[in-house]
């Protein structure tokens, strides 16, 4: 068996988050049989997926004394977490208190429920919000510090927590999560596609997985399995079952986001919820599918169409802004901002400027001349925007959060349009992260966390809630799995 530490598996190719994940190469999947499967050892917990939720679960289970192995089908760890740009929503934190921000579990939960079009499971939402501060503190204990505060669409107050140096939150967390897993000696195998969750006598017994390089099947024995395999945002055929118009849309998801974790659990009786709820993100660079973080709008960027005009409050929820953008001529817009925003977001330089995807100029007039817009109308729009802020007048588009003048050169514009971003639906879980069957009963020994689950985000996910989700419920899944182990007579 080619067993790797996380750091070697995630970073050895030098391809971590900044370059994205690459597709697997090797033997095509084939049907496995019990006779073919070789033994892979016995563990307390098998974690399927080495993204943010999976690594969080592995760390927490290990900290509780469990013998854990993580199976990852891709060549590197990280999953979609690698592509998270903004930050982590949390309420009642030290960072908020130091900034004089009054927030509460009730307000955070209300924003999340409303932002999800009143479709989310209130019990899951309340658990998420009530344990968000605890999750921030746990990250700090593990050497990950989200101490910079910003805002995002749908949030009543600033509650999105980001790395202090302006790094993209996903790349930052994945690096440190990999290091923490390596330090603890947590077993991990990459290139390993789980084909089946094993059930014996009505209980979870482990998994059977295919090594895509050798074509060999390995059986890993464990009484508890945590499914953290992510969503299906890169599976266009599956997406098109629910949203046919998305069949050819660009996606911000890494290529491994195919939804197999959902299918694996369904095969042993798991139920799903909100599976048709699919989110598009309004600011995606179309030629590369690179996401322009919502935090950039939260720090002050505006959206301008081909006629040089703003057309929406840029900090409404993602689905609303995306719909407004699709209604513009050509269905696209420019995100426009200045040096202040640039300095607060390292991803602009790393992901856009270095790839010549950003227009840059020393004046708004010069910037407008480069853009595919009515340059005269663009200058009038920017003058009106800045003047309204200076005079204290209401914003004509109704924006009331993060209204900062765009007045410090150089100035930037990045052309964007909506792209597939997140699948809100997935496995039905309870607040203890147990996977449930169609009758609402718990499947003994099966737990899940992260984008593979449904019910938390309803019909629309608020920016910053995914990172909160993977940390809160990744930890919760581990807690529940360890508690389950304690009930077994082994």
């Amino acid at each position: 068996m080619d067993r790797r530490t996380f750091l070697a598996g995630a970073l050895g190719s030098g391809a971590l988050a900044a370059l994205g994940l690459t597709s697997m190469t090797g033997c095509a999947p084939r049907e496995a049989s019990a006779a073919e499967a070789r033994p892979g050892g016995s563990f307390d917990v098998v974690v399927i997926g080495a993204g943010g939720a999976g690594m969080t679960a592995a760390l927490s289970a290990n900290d509780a004394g469990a013998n854990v192995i993580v199976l990852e089908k891709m060549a590197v760890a990280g999953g979609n977490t690698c592509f998270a740009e903004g930050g982590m929503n949390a309420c009642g934190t030290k960072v908020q208190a130091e900034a004089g921000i009054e927030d509460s579990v009730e307000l955070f939960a209300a924003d999340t429920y409303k932002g999800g079009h009143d479709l989310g499971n209130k019990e899951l939402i309340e658990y998420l919000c009530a344990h968000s501060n605890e999750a921030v503190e746990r990250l700090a204990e593990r050497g990950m510090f989200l101490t910079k505060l910003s805002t995002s669409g749908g949030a009543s107050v600033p509650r999105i927590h980001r790395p202090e140096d302006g790094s993209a939150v996903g790349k930052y967390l994945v690096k440190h999560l990999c290091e923490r897993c390596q330090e603890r000696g947590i077993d991990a195998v990459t290139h390993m596609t789980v084909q089946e969750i094993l059930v014996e006598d009505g209980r979870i017994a482990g998994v059977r997985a295919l090594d895509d390089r050798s074509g060999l099947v390995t059986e890993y024995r464990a009484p508890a399995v945590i499914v953290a395999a992510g969503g299906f945002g890169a599976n266009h055929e599956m997406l098109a079952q629910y949203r046919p118009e998305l069949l050819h849309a660009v996606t911000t998801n890494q290529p491994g986001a195919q939804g197999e974790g959902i299918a694996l659990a369904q095969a042993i009786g798991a139920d799903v919820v909100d599976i048709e709820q699919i989110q598009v993100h309004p600011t995606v660079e179309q030629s590369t599918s690179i996401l322009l973080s919502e935090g950039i709008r939260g720090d002050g960027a505006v959206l301008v169409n081909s006629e040089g005009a703003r057309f929406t409050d840029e900090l409404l929820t993602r689905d609303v802004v995306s719909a407004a953008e699709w209604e513009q001529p050509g269905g696209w817009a420019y995100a426009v901002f200045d040096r202040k925003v640039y300095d607060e977001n390292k991803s602009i330089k790393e992901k856009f400027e270095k790839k010549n995807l950003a227009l840059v100029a020393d004046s708004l007039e010069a910037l407008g001349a480069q853009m595919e817009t009515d340059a005269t109308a663009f200058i009038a729009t920017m003058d009106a925007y800045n003047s309204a802020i200076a005079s204290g007048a209401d914003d004509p588009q109704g924006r009331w959060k993060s209204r900062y003048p765009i007045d410090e050169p150089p100035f930037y514009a990045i052309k964007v349009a909506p792209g597939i971003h997140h699948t809100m639906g997935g496995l039905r879980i309870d607040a203890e992260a147990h996977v449930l069957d169609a009758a609402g009963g718990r499947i003994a020994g099966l737990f899940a966390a992260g984008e593979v689950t449904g019910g938390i985000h309803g019909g629309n996910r608020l920016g910053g809630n995914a990172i909160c989700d993977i940390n809160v419920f990744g930890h919760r899944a581990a807690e529940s799995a360890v508690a389950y182990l304690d009930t077994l007579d082994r």
Side-chain angles (χ1 to χ4, degrees), residues 417-430:
I420 300 160
H421 186 52
H422 193 92
T423 50
M424 276 79 69
L427 299 176
R428 188 186 297 272
I429 61 170
D430 61 18

Side-chain angles (χ1 to χ4, degrees), residues 270-350:
D271 194 19
V272 295
V273 61
D274 297 337
I275 198 70
E276 73 284 357
Q277 301 297 334
I278 299 161
Q279 182 179 72
V280 292
H281 195 290
T283 53
V284 180
E285 202 286 319
Q286 298 291 290
S287 69
T288 60
S289 299
I290 296 175
L291 177 75
L292 185 71
S293 170
E294 186 165 338
I296 290 169
R297 282 176 285 138
D299 284 344
V302 299
L303 296 176
V304 176
N305 65 15
S306 63
E307 296 173 341
R310 289 176 64 225
F311 52 89
T312 187
D313 172 357
E314 292 84 0
L315 290 177
L316 295 175
T317 55
R318 291 170 173 177
D319 57 331
V320 174
V321 177
S322 293
E325 201 166 67
W326 268 325
E327 292 176 355
Q328 305 312 302
W332 55 265
Y334 280 103
V336 179
F337 50 93
D338 65 4
R339 181 187 59 79
K340 298 190 296 296
V341 176
Y342 177 93
D343 288 346
E344 294 295 320
N345 293 274
K346 281 188 174 182
S347 65
I348 298 170
K349 180 177 182 179
E350 295 171 356

Side-chain angles (χ1 to χ4, degrees), residues 180-199:
R180 299 296 88 77
C181 288
Q182 183 194 36
E183 290 165 1
R184 287 162 171 77
I186 294 173
D187 275 315
V189 188
T190 56
H191 294 278
M192 191 62 71
T193 300
V194 175
Q195 294 185 319
E196 181 182 1
I197 298 173
L198 303 175
V199 179

Side-chain angles (χ1 to χ4, degrees), residues 117-131:
H117 306 316
D118 301 345
L119 293 176
N121 181 313
K122 287 187 176 181
E123 183 182 7
L124 296 180
I125 292 170
E126 288 171 5
Y127 188 91
L128 175 83
C129 300
H131 292 81

Side-chain angles (χ1 to χ4, degrees), residues 1-10 12-13 70 74-76 182 185-191 211 213:
M1 182 188 310
D2 182 9
R3 185 165 293 167
R4 308 178 179 189
T5 62
F6 265 102
L7 195 62
S13 66
V70 183
M74 302 300 286
V76 295
Q182 183 194 36
I186 294 173
D187 275 315
V189 188
T190 56
H191 294 278
D211 186 327
R213 296 159 299 178

